[in-house]
Amino acid sequence: MLEIRGLSACIGDKEILKGIDLTVPQGEIHAIMGPNGSGKSTLGYVLSGREDYTVTGGTVTFNGANLLEMEPEARAIAGVFLAFQAPIELPGVNNANFLRTALNAVRRARGEAELDAVQFLKLARAETKRLHMRDDMLKRNVNVGFSGGEKKRNEVLQMALLRPKLAILDETDSGLDIDALKIVADGVNALRSAEFSALVITHHQRLLDHLVPHRVHVLSQGRIIRSGGPELAKELEQSGYASLIAEAA
Amino acid sequence: MAVETETLETVQALTQSGYKWGFETNVEMEFAPKGLNEDIIRLISARKQEPAWMLDWRLKAFAAWQKMEEPQWARVEHPPIDYQDLHYYAAPKKKAGPKSLDEVDPELLAMYEKLGIPLKERAILAGVDPDAAEGGSRQIAVDAVFDSVSVATTFKETLSKAGVIFCPISEAIREYPDLVKQYLGTVVPVGDNFFAALNSAVFTDGSFVYIPKGVRCPMELSTYFRINARNTGQFERTLIIAEEGSYVSYLEGCTAPQRDENQLHAAVVELVTMDDAQIKYSTVQNWYPGDEHGKGGIYNFVTKRGACRGARSKISWTQVETGSAITWKYPSCVLLGEDSVGEFYSVAVTNNHQQADTGTKMIHVGRGSRSTIVSKGISAGHSNNTYRGLVRMAPTAKNARNFTQCDSLLIGDRCGAHTVPYIESRNLTAKVEHEATTSKIAEDQLFYCRQRGLSEEDAVGLIVNGFCKDVLKELPMEFAVEAQKLLAVSLEGSVG
């Protein structure tokens, strides 16, 4: 379970999160929506431990642990996964090698046996097939020369391999056509279980057609101004954020 | 892929600080008195039982050196070197050179183990039957240079069957004087530069390789150099000749024990290829770089040059430079033959207060000669890393081509990367291309890796090895593994 209480954070002098309260119980998928600049991505970065952000107040506990005290890699090993909005390129670093190194780091920390190259490739090939991705994606350098859609799918592949307990998807649907969108949604849906929860940050309701959330939260100016069921997303799609924001002000 | 994984495992294993190779071997040493004069040169020559012509050659070089001044153009700074305050000759005390490995000091063999010399080579040094070791794996012959005297030479027999000569240069001077006389100093003349002249006057040992016409050397030749005595300048001299249609791959690796005083190392390497011959020369240089405050470390002033004398001949330099307080090194190719090929692949890493001024010279004389330069400089800490390269197209170099790729990677914000390309083209049909980039290991790259569960050190290792991939893939496999370990170890503690 993820529990966020009064979380505030800034970058430089600029306060972005101004007291977030949010609980995501195990097994649930929550959507975070909101206009540009409302702090959606910042929330994802703060939860995963990006150092550019300074937490100025509040607490975050994840399965009983104080998440804010942990290094980014410790959070990853505890099961927090961030699917990046703009996945980073690593020139010269082979994707399969990167994925195996990451997977083995996580497995090692969890006391599981590491996978050798053959075992890993078997697993990775099965996942790429399931995600309708081409095998050559494993041979290429991490995200280098990938199209926007390929990068997003590569994030979903990593997520599928690392099997996180909490996945944070930062606008993973942006810039995707409907087929790619479905692959992303399927990737998350395949992980659904009583131990898996997700925070799905998105601008659009259409992802939520394929990835039906338990709850939807609207973020504006660093605060959650409204929460509701999946119908809230549909309501937003029709009326936009403006009326909600005016209401909250 | 296995190689990269091994790197990561190594970083995890090597989290202790300090220089892993900083140990000293207790072998009794014999020193010549400090200082440099004609008497010392006579002493060296006498100890090596050299013929008179060699002594004359040395004395001529010494005379030239005395008129020369230390070059000042490199982007390196160091206190003045007192050349009279160094020992120019040191040899382990031995009655005679060992005839076989059994006679080699066990301490030396133990040292190879500490150096992390690949298992296979250690097995060879331990006396494993070479024919038994053949089973699909390549053989490597090791000419071990311990301070100034070669103490172990392996695989001589297999090589001599193929007609290959691989021996200490001091032996070559005695046994093959005509060959040595014909080639020594023809690629790097005695008066070429200050350090080459010094080397010519006082060199004590090194390797000699001769590959006869049409012979593909049956194994990779390997030399491990090591500076071991306090205040002893080590002056290696290597000469490799590849006759028409022959091929040889030569590996050179160096590690040195920890010292407080700075030590001078001024080697000269000369390569010669005739028609259709090829020499592949790979170096992993890991001399002691000094401590994190810039105290101690090796001064490495090296002249390496190859002459592609024959048509379609090829010389390929690959270097991974992670050590030394100061590196001053420009492995070069003089492309005389028609359609001859020169290559330079380099990774230079500087951390803490290290200074590297390194690069290459490609001198195109022959028609249709081609050269490729790929240089990867990595700077961390307070270090300075300079690529300095010359591409010269002589008027005769019709349709010659050069491609240069020069990339710098910065880690942290207190280090420097500098690129100084010189291009001289005197032939309108010659083509010279130069590409250069400078990048930083970005915070977002590190964060991306860490978010996936990699430690910061693993992440840096992965990114740096990715950056160097184009060069590392040119190294023979055993060396590539060693080089990747070195990269990771050299950059330990450079982030955060």
Short mmCIF file of all heavy atoms in Angstrom, two decimals, chain A residues 48-51 71-73 76 80-82 84 88-89 91-93 97-98 100-102 105 108 141 143 155 158, chain B residues 1-2 4-5 8-9 12 443-456 458 462-463 465-467 469:
data_model
loop_
_atom_site.label_atom_id
_atom_site.label_comp_id
_atom_site.label_asym_id
_atom_site.label_seq_id
_atom_site.Cartn_x
_atom_site.Cartn_y
_atom_site.Cartn_z
N SER A 48 9.78 8.36 -6.98
CA SER A 48 10.85 7.45 -7.39
C SER A 48 12.24 7.96 -6.99
O SER A 48 13.23 7.29 -7.19
CB SER A 48 10.79 7.20 -8.90
OG SER A 48 10.77 8.42 -9.59
N GLY A 49 12.31 9.16 -6.41
CA GLY A 49 13.55 9.60 -5.77
C GLY A 49 14.48 10.44 -6.62
O GLY A 49 15.69 10.49 -6.37
N ARG A 50 13.97 11.14 -7.60
CA ARG A 50 14.83 12.00 -8.40
C ARG A 50 15.39 13.13 -7.54
O ARG A 50 14.64 13.79 -6.82
CB ARG A 50 14.06 12.56 -9.58
CG ARG A 50 14.95 13.37 -10.46
CD ARG A 50 14.52 13.44 -11.88
NE ARG A 50 15.58 14.12 -12.58
CZ ARG A 50 15.87 13.95 -13.84
NH1 ARG A 50 15.15 13.15 -14.57
NH2 ARG A 50 16.86 14.60 -14.39
N GLU A 51 16.72 13.35 -7.64
CA GLU A 51 17.36 14.26 -6.69
C GLU A 51 17.15 15.74 -6.98
O GLU A 51 17.42 16.59 -6.13
CB GLU A 51 18.86 13.94 -6.59
CG GLU A 51 19.12 12.75 -5.68
CD GLU A 51 20.42 12.04 -5.96
OE1 GLU A 51 21.19 12.51 -6.83
OE2 GLU A 51 20.68 11.01 -5.32
N GLU A 71 17.27 5.50 -1.29
CA GLU A 71 17.91 5.86 -2.56
C GLU A 71 17.02 5.38 -3.71
O GLU A 71 16.25 4.43 -3.53
CB GLU A 71 19.27 5.16 -2.68
CG GLU A 71 20.32 5.61 -1.68
CD GLU A 71 20.79 7.02 -1.96
OE1 GLU A 71 20.91 7.38 -3.15
OE2 GLU A 71 21.01 7.77 -0.99
N PRO A 72 17.17 6.00 -4.88
CA PRO A 72 16.32 5.58 -6.01
C PRO A 72 16.40 4.07 -6.28
O PRO A 72 15.38 3.42 -6.52
CB PRO A 72 16.88 6.37 -7.19
CG PRO A 72 17.55 7.54 -6.59
CD PRO A 72 18.04 7.12 -5.24
N GLU A 73 17.65 3.51 -6.23
CA GLU A 73 17.78 2.09 -6.55
C GLU A 73 17.12 1.22 -5.48
O GLU A 73 16.58 0.15 -5.79
CB GLU A 73 19.24 1.69 -6.79
CG GLU A 73 20.21 1.97 -5.65
CD GLU A 73 20.90 3.34 -5.79
OE1 GLU A 73 20.23 4.30 -6.25
OE2 GLU A 73 22.08 3.46 -5.45
N ALA A 76 13.54 1.13 -6.26
CA ALA A 76 13.29 0.23 -7.39
C ALA A 76 13.25 -1.21 -6.89
O ALA A 76 12.38 -1.99 -7.28
CB ALA A 76 14.37 0.40 -8.45
N VAL A 80 9.18 -0.14 -6.68
CA VAL A 80 8.64 1.06 -7.32
C VAL A 80 9.22 1.17 -8.73
O VAL A 80 10.44 1.13 -8.91
CB VAL A 80 8.98 2.33 -6.52
CG1 VAL A 80 8.49 3.58 -7.25
CG2 VAL A 80 8.37 2.26 -5.13
N PHE A 81 8.37 1.31 -9.71
CA PHE A 81 8.83 1.42 -11.09
C PHE A 81 8.22 2.67 -11.71
O PHE A 81 7.02 2.90 -11.62
CB PHE A 81 8.39 0.19 -11.89
CG PHE A 81 8.80 0.24 -13.34
CD1 PHE A 81 9.99 -0.33 -13.75
CD2 PHE A 81 7.99 0.86 -14.29
CE1 PHE A 81 10.37 -0.27 -15.08
CE2 PHE A 81 8.38 0.93 -15.63
CZ PHE A 81 9.57 0.35 -16.02
N LEU A 82 9.08 3.48 -12.33
CA LEU A 82 8.58 4.67 -13.03
C LEU A 82 8.75 4.46 -14.53
O LEU A 82 9.87 4.29 -15.01
CB LEU A 82 9.36 5.91 -12.58
CG LEU A 82 9.05 7.22 -13.34
CD1 LEU A 82 7.62 7.69 -13.07
CD2 LEU A 82 10.03 8.33 -12.97
N PHE A 84 9.00 6.28 -17.72
CA PHE A 84 9.31 7.68 -17.98
C PHE A 84 8.46 8.26 -19.11
O PHE A 84 8.18 7.58 -20.09
CB PHE A 84 10.80 7.84 -18.36
CG PHE A 84 11.74 7.75 -17.19
CD1 PHE A 84 11.80 6.61 -16.41
CD2 PHE A 84 12.56 8.82 -16.86
CE1 PHE A 84 12.67 6.52 -15.33
CE2 PHE A 84 13.43 8.76 -15.78
CZ PHE A 84 13.49 7.60 -15.02
N ILE A 88 15.05 7.75 -21.43
CA ILE A 88 16.40 8.28 -21.63
C ILE A 88 17.20 7.37 -22.56
O ILE A 88 17.11 6.15 -22.48
CB ILE A 88 17.12 8.37 -20.27
CG1 ILE A 88 16.26 9.15 -19.26
CG2 ILE A 88 18.49 9.01 -20.42
CD1 ILE A 88 15.93 10.56 -19.64
N GLU A 89 18.01 7.97 -23.42
CA GLU A 89 18.87 7.20 -24.32
C GLU A 89 20.21 6.88 -23.65
O GLU A 89 20.80 7.74 -23.00
CB GLU A 89 19.13 7.98 -25.62
CG GLU A 89 17.85 8.24 -26.38
CD GLU A 89 18.08 8.95 -27.71
OE1 GLU A 89 19.25 9.16 -28.07
OE2 GLU A 89 17.08 9.31 -28.35
N PRO A 91 23.58 5.66 -25.12
CA PRO A 91 24.35 5.27 -26.31
C PRO A 91 25.35 4.17 -26.00
O PRO A 91 26.02 4.21 -24.97
CB PRO A 91 25.07 6.57 -26.71
CG PRO A 91 24.31 7.67 -26.06
CD PRO A 91 23.73 7.08 -24.80
N GLY A 92 25.42 3.19 -26.87
CA GLY A 92 26.41 2.11 -26.73
C GLY A 92 26.02 1.04 -25.73
O GLY A 92 26.72 0.06 -25.58
N VAL A 93 24.91 1.25 -25.01
CA VAL A 93 24.50 0.27 -24.01
C VAL A 93 23.41 -0.62 -24.61
O VAL A 93 22.32 -0.14 -24.91
CB VAL A 93 24.00 0.94 -22.72
CG1 VAL A 93 23.57 -0.11 -21.70
CG2 VAL A 93 25.06 1.86 -22.13
N ASN A 97 21.34 -6.22 -22.46
CA ASN A 97 22.30 -6.20 -21.36
C ASN A 97 21.81 -5.28 -20.23
O ASN A 97 21.90 -5.60 -19.06
CB ASN A 97 23.66 -5.75 -21.87
CG ASN A 97 24.71 -5.79 -20.78
OD1 ASN A 97 24.81 -6.77 -20.06
ND2 ASN A 97 25.46 -4.71 -20.64
N PHE A 98 21.27 -4.15 -20.63
CA PHE A 98 20.74 -3.20 -19.64
C PHE A 98 19.60 -3.85 -18.85
O PHE A 98 19.57 -3.81 -17.62
CB PHE A 98 20.24 -1.94 -20.36
CG PHE A 98 19.56 -0.96 -19.46
CD1 PHE A 98 20.28 -0.25 -18.51
CD2 PHE A 98 18.20 -0.73 -19.57
CE1 PHE A 98 19.65 0.67 -17.68
CE2 PHE A 98 17.56 0.18 -18.74
CZ PHE A 98 18.29 0.88 -17.80
N ARG A 100 18.91 -7.01 -18.47
CA ARG A 100 19.35 -8.14 -17.64
C ARG A 100 20.09 -7.64 -16.39
O ARG A 100 19.90 -8.17 -15.30
CB ARG A 100 20.26 -9.08 -18.44
CG ARG A 100 20.65 -10.33 -17.65
CD ARG A 100 21.13 -11.44 -18.53
NE ARG A 100 22.52 -11.26 -18.94
CZ ARG A 100 23.54 -11.86 -18.31
NH1 ARG A 100 23.34 -12.67 -17.30
NH2 ARG A 100 24.77 -11.65 -18.73
N THR A 101 20.91 -6.61 -16.57
CA THR A 101 21.62 -6.04 -15.43
C THR A 101 20.63 -5.51 -14.39
O THR A 101 20.76 -5.75 -13.19
CB THR A 101 22.56 -4.91 -15.88
OG1 THR A 101 23.39 -5.40 -16.93
CG2 THR A 101 23.44 -4.43 -14.75
N ALA A 102 19.62 -4.80 -14.88
CA ALA A 102 18.61 -4.25 -13.98
C ALA A 102 17.83 -5.38 -13.30
O ALA A 102 17.66 -5.38 -12.07
CB ALA A 102 17.66 -3.34 -14.76
N ALA A 105 19.94 -7.09 -10.74
CA ALA A 105 20.15 -6.25 -9.54
C ALA A 105 18.94 -6.39 -8.63
O ALA A 105 19.07 -6.54 -7.41
CB ALA A 105 20.35 -4.79 -9.95
N ARG A 108 18.80 -10.04 -7.23
CA ARG A 108 19.83 -10.24 -6.23
C ARG A 108 19.36 -9.67 -4.89
O ARG A 108 19.42 -10.32 -3.86
CB ARG A 108 21.11 -9.55 -6.68
CG ARG A 108 22.37 -10.04 -6.00
CD ARG A 108 23.62 -9.64 -6.77
NE ARG A 108 23.64 -8.24 -7.11
CZ ARG A 108 23.85 -7.78 -8.34
NH1 ARG A 108 24.06 -8.60 -9.33
NH2 ARG A 108 23.85 -6.48 -8.57
N ASN A 141 20.65 -0.35 -28.94
CA ASN A 141 21.08 0.37 -27.75
C ASN A 141 19.87 1.00 -27.07
O ASN A 141 18.92 1.41 -27.74
CB ASN A 141 22.12 1.43 -28.11
CG ASN A 141 23.43 0.81 -28.56
OD1 ASN A 141 23.75 -0.32 -28.17
ND2 ASN A 141 24.17 1.51 -29.38
N ASN A 143 17.04 2.74 -26.08
CA ASN A 143 16.24 3.88 -26.55
C ASN A 143 16.88 4.70 -27.67
O ASN A 143 16.29 5.67 -28.14
CB ASN A 143 15.87 4.82 -25.40
CG ASN A 143 14.93 4.15 -24.40
OD1 ASN A 143 14.06 3.37 -24.80
ND2 ASN A 143 15.11 4.42 -23.13
N GLU A 155 9.54 0.81 -22.27
CA GLU A 155 9.25 1.02 -20.84
C GLU A 155 8.32 -0.06 -20.32
O GLU A 155 8.51 -0.60 -19.22
CB GLU A 155 8.59 2.40 -20.64
CG GLU A 155 9.48 3.59 -20.97
CD GLU A 155 10.63 3.76 -20.00
OE1 GLU A 155 10.42 4.15 -18.84
OE2 GLU A 155 11.77 3.47 -20.41
N GLN A 158 10.21 -3.26 -19.89
CA GLN A 158 11.00 -3.25 -18.64
C GLN A 158 10.11 -3.52 -17.45
O GLN A 158 10.47 -4.27 -16.54
CB GLN A 158 11.69 -1.89 -18.47
CG GLN A 158 12.75 -1.64 -19.52
CD GLN A 158 13.46 -0.31 -19.30
OE1 GLN A 158 13.72 0.08 -18.19
NE2 GLN A 158 13.78 0.37 -20.37
N MET B 1 28.11 -9.16 -24.59
CA MET B 1 27.23 -8.97 -23.46
C MET B 1 27.87 -9.52 -22.19
O MET B 1 27.81 -8.89 -21.14
CB MET B 1 25.89 -9.64 -23.74
CG MET B 1 24.86 -9.31 -22.70
SD MET B 1 23.19 -9.65 -23.29
CE MET B 1 23.28 -11.37 -23.63
N ALA B 2 28.49 -10.69 -22.30
CA ALA B 2 29.12 -11.28 -21.13
C ALA B 2 30.18 -10.35 -20.56
O ALA B 2 30.34 -10.23 -19.36
CB ALA B 2 29.75 -12.62 -21.51
N GLU B 4 30.33 -7.07 -20.68
CA GLU B 4 29.78 -5.94 -19.95
C GLU B 4 29.27 -6.38 -18.58
O GLU B 4 29.42 -5.68 -17.59
CB GLU B 4 28.64 -5.29 -20.74
CG GLU B 4 29.17 -4.52 -21.94
CD GLU B 4 28.05 -4.01 -22.82
OE1 GLU B 4 27.02 -3.61 -22.27
OE2 GLU B 4 28.22 -4.04 -24.05
N THR B 5 28.67 -7.54 -18.54
CA THR B 5 28.16 -8.03 -17.27
C THR B 5 29.31 -8.24 -16.30
O THR B 5 29.23 -7.90 -15.13
CB THR B 5 27.42 -9.37 -17.49
OG1 THR B 5 26.50 -9.15 -18.53
CG2 THR B 5 26.71 -9.80 -16.24
N LEU B 8 30.31 -5.18 -14.50
CA LEU B 8 29.46 -4.79 -13.39
C LEU B 8 29.78 -5.63 -12.17
O LEU B 8 29.86 -5.13 -11.06
CB LEU B 8 27.99 -4.97 -13.79
CG LEU B 8 27.58 -4.05 -14.93
CD1 LEU B 8 26.18 -4.36 -15.37
CD2 LEU B 8 27.68 -2.60 -14.50
N GLU B 9 30.00 -6.91 -12.40
CA GLU B 9 30.35 -7.77 -11.27
C GLU B 9 31.65 -7.32 -10.64
O GLU B 9 31.82 -7.34 -9.43
CB GLU B 9 30.46 -9.23 -11.75
CG GLU B 9 29.08 -9.84 -11.98
CD GLU B 9 29.12 -11.03 -12.92
OE1 GLU B 9 30.21 -11.46 -13.32
OE2 GLU B 9 28.02 -11.53 -13.25
N GLN B 12 31.34 -4.34 -8.38
CA GLN B 12 30.83 -4.72 -7.08
C GLN B 12 31.93 -5.34 -6.22
O GLN B 12 32.01 -5.11 -5.03
CB GLN B 12 29.68 -5.73 -7.25
CG GLN B 12 28.40 -5.06 -7.71
CD GLN B 12 27.62 -5.92 -8.69
OE1 GLN B 12 27.87 -7.12 -8.79
NE2 GLN B 12 26.70 -5.32 -9.40
N GLU B 443 22.56 13.64 -15.49
CA GLU B 443 21.84 13.24 -14.29
C GLU B 443 20.68 12.32 -14.66
O GLU B 443 20.40 11.36 -13.97
CB GLU B 443 21.29 14.48 -13.57
CG GLU B 443 22.35 15.25 -12.80
CD GLU B 443 22.98 14.42 -11.69
OE1 GLU B 443 22.23 13.67 -11.03
OE2 GLU B 443 24.19 14.52 -11.50
N ASP B 444 20.02 12.65 -15.79
CA ASP B 444 18.85 11.85 -16.10
C ASP B 444 19.21 10.43 -16.55
O ASP B 444 18.46 9.49 -16.33
CB ASP B 444 17.88 12.55 -17.07
CG ASP B 444 18.55 12.97 -18.36
OD1 ASP B 444 19.74 12.67 -18.52
OD2 ASP B 444 17.88 13.59 -19.20
N GLN B 445 20.43 10.27 -17.15
CA GLN B 445 20.88 8.92 -17.48
C GLN B 445 21.13 8.10 -16.22
O GLN B 445 20.74 6.94 -16.11
CB GLN B 445 22.17 8.97 -18.31
CG GLN B 445 21.94 9.43 -19.74
CD GLN B 445 23.25 9.52 -20.50
OE1 GLN B 445 24.28 9.89 -19.94
NE2 GLN B 445 23.20 9.18 -21.78
N LEU B 446 21.80 8.74 -15.26
CA LEU B 446 22.08 8.05 -14.00
C LEU B 446 20.78 7.69 -13.29
O LEU B 446 20.61 6.59 -12.79
CB LEU B 446 22.92 8.95 -13.07
CG LEU B 446 24.40 9.00 -13.36
CD1 LEU B 446 25.09 9.95 -12.39
CD2 LEU B 446 25.02 7.61 -13.24
N PHE B 447 19.87 8.67 -13.27
CA PHE B 447 18.61 8.43 -12.57
C PHE B 447 17.81 7.30 -13.23
O PHE B 447 17.24 6.45 -12.56
CB PHE B 447 17.77 9.71 -12.51
CG PHE B 447 16.43 9.51 -11.86
CD1 PHE B 447 16.35 9.19 -10.51
CD2 PHE B 447 15.26 9.61 -12.58
CE1 PHE B 447 15.12 8.98 -9.91
CE2 PHE B 447 14.03 9.39 -11.99
CZ PHE B 447 13.95 9.08 -10.64
N TYR B 448 17.84 7.31 -14.54
CA TYR B 448 17.12 6.26 -15.30
C TYR B 448 17.63 4.87 -14.90
O TYR B 448 16.86 3.97 -14.61
CB TYR B 448 17.32 6.50 -16.79
CG TYR B 448 16.47 5.65 -17.70
CD1 TYR B 448 15.09 5.81 -17.75
CD2 TYR B 448 17.04 4.72 -18.55
CE1 TYR B 448 14.30 5.04 -18.60
CE2 TYR B 448 16.27 3.95 -19.41
CZ TYR B 448 14.90 4.12 -19.43
OH TYR B 448 14.14 3.37 -20.28
N CYS B 449 18.96 4.72 -14.86
CA CYS B 449 19.55 3.44 -14.49
C CYS B 449 19.23 3.08 -13.04
O CYS B 449 18.89 1.94 -12.73
CB CYS B 449 21.07 3.46 -14.65
SG CYS B 449 21.60 3.64 -16.36
N ARG B 450 19.34 4.07 -12.16
CA ARG B 450 19.10 3.79 -10.74
C ARG B 450 17.63 3.45 -10.51
O ARG B 450 17.30 2.61 -9.67
CB ARG B 450 19.51 4.99 -9.89
CG ARG B 450 21.01 5.26 -9.93
CD ARG B 450 21.38 6.51 -9.15
NE ARG B 450 21.33 6.26 -7.72
CZ ARG B 450 21.44 7.23 -6.81
NH1 ARG B 450 21.58 8.47 -7.18
NH2 ARG B 450 21.39 6.94 -5.53
N GLN B 451 16.74 4.09 -11.26
CA GLN B 451 15.33 3.79 -11.11
C GLN B 451 15.04 2.34 -11.48
O GLN B 451 14.06 1.74 -11.07
CB GLN B 451 14.48 4.75 -11.96
CG GLN B 451 13.10 5.04 -11.39
CD GLN B 451 12.21 3.83 -11.20
OE1 GLN B 451 11.99 3.09 -12.15
NE2 GLN B 451 11.73 3.60 -9.98
N ARG B 452 15.94 1.76 -12.29
CA ARG B 452 15.75 0.36 -12.67
C ARG B 452 16.46 -0.59 -11.72
O ARG B 452 16.52 -1.78 -11.96
CB ARG B 452 16.25 0.13 -14.10
CG ARG B 452 15.50 0.95 -15.16
CD ARG B 452 14.00 0.63 -15.16
NE ARG B 452 13.30 1.33 -16.23
CZ ARG B 452 12.42 2.30 -16.03
NH1 ARG B 452 12.13 2.69 -14.79
NH2 ARG B 452 11.82 2.89 -17.05
N GLY B 453 17.09 -0.02 -10.66
CA GLY B 453 17.67 -0.87 -9.63
C GLY B 453 19.19 -0.95 -9.65
O GLY B 453 19.80 -1.64 -8.84
N LEU B 454 19.85 -0.23 -10.60
CA LEU B 454 21.31 -0.27 -10.66
C LEU B 454 21.90 0.71 -9.65
O LEU B 454 21.39 1.81 -9.48
CB LEU B 454 21.79 0.13 -12.06
CG LEU B 454 21.92 -0.96 -13.11
CD1 LEU B 454 20.57 -1.54 -13.46
CD2 LEU B 454 22.58 -0.39 -14.36
N SER B 455 23.00 0.34 -9.01
CA SER B 455 23.67 1.28 -8.12
C SER B 455 24.32 2.37 -8.98
O SER B 455 24.49 2.20 -10.19
CB SER B 455 24.75 0.57 -7.31
OG SER B 455 25.81 0.19 -8.16
N GLU B 456 24.71 3.45 -8.34
CA GLU B 456 25.31 4.56 -9.08
C GLU B 456 26.59 4.11 -9.79
O GLU B 456 26.84 4.47 -10.94
CB GLU B 456 25.61 5.69 -8.11
CG GLU B 456 25.85 7.01 -8.79
CD GLU B 456 25.61 8.18 -7.86
OE1 GLU B 456 25.69 8.00 -6.63
OE2 GLU B 456 25.35 9.28 -8.37
N ASP B 458 27.44 1.05 -10.76
CA ASP B 458 27.06 0.19 -11.89
C ASP B 458 26.59 1.02 -13.07
O ASP B 458 26.91 0.75 -14.22
CB ASP B 458 25.92 -0.76 -11.49
CG ASP B 458 26.41 -1.91 -10.64
OD1 ASP B 458 27.62 -1.98 -10.40
OD2 ASP B 458 25.57 -2.74 -10.24
N LEU B 462 28.27 1.18 -16.73
CA LEU B 462 27.49 0.82 -17.92
C LEU B 462 27.55 1.93 -18.97
O LEU B 462 27.78 1.68 -20.15
CB LEU B 462 26.04 0.60 -17.48
CG LEU B 462 25.13 -0.23 -18.35
CD1 LEU B 462 25.59 -1.68 -18.37
CD2 LEU B 462 23.69 -0.16 -17.83
N ILE B 463 27.38 3.16 -18.51
CA ILE B 463 27.36 4.29 -19.45
C ILE B 463 28.74 4.50 -20.07
O ILE B 463 28.87 4.71 -21.28
CB ILE B 463 26.87 5.57 -18.73
CG1 ILE B 463 25.40 5.40 -18.33
CG2 ILE B 463 27.03 6.80 -19.63
CD1 ILE B 463 24.89 6.44 -17.34
N ASN B 465 31.19 2.28 -20.38
CA ASN B 465 31.51 1.19 -21.30
C ASN B 465 30.73 1.33 -22.61
O ASN B 465 31.24 0.99 -23.67
CB ASN B 465 31.25 -0.16 -20.65
CG ASN B 465 32.46 -0.61 -19.84
OD1 ASN B 465 33.56 -0.64 -20.35
ND2 ASN B 465 32.24 -0.93 -18.58
N GLY B 466 29.52 1.83 -22.52
CA GLY B 466 28.75 2.09 -23.73
C GLY B 466 29.42 3.15 -24.59
O GLY B 466 29.56 3.00 -25.81
N PHE B 467 29.91 4.18 -23.92
CA PHE B 467 30.59 5.28 -24.61
C PHE B 467 31.86 4.79 -25.33
O PHE B 467 32.20 5.27 -26.40
CB PHE B 467 30.94 6.35 -23.56
CG PHE B 467 31.76 7.50 -24.05
CD1 PHE B 467 31.20 8.50 -24.82
CD2 PHE B 467 33.11 7.60 -23.71
CE1 PHE B 467 31.95 9.56 -25.25
CE2 PHE B 467 33.87 8.67 -24.14
CZ PHE B 467 33.29 9.65 -24.92
N LYS B 469 32.46 1.70 -26.40
CA LYS B 469 32.23 0.43 -27.09
C LYS B 469 32.97 0.32 -28.42
O LYS B 469 33.57 -0.72 -28.72
CB LYS B 469 30.73 0.28 -27.33
CG LYS B 469 30.29 -1.13 -27.62
CD LYS B 469 28.80 -1.12 -27.88
CE LYS B 469 28.17 -2.41 -27.43
NZ LYS B 469 26.70 -2.30 -27.43
#
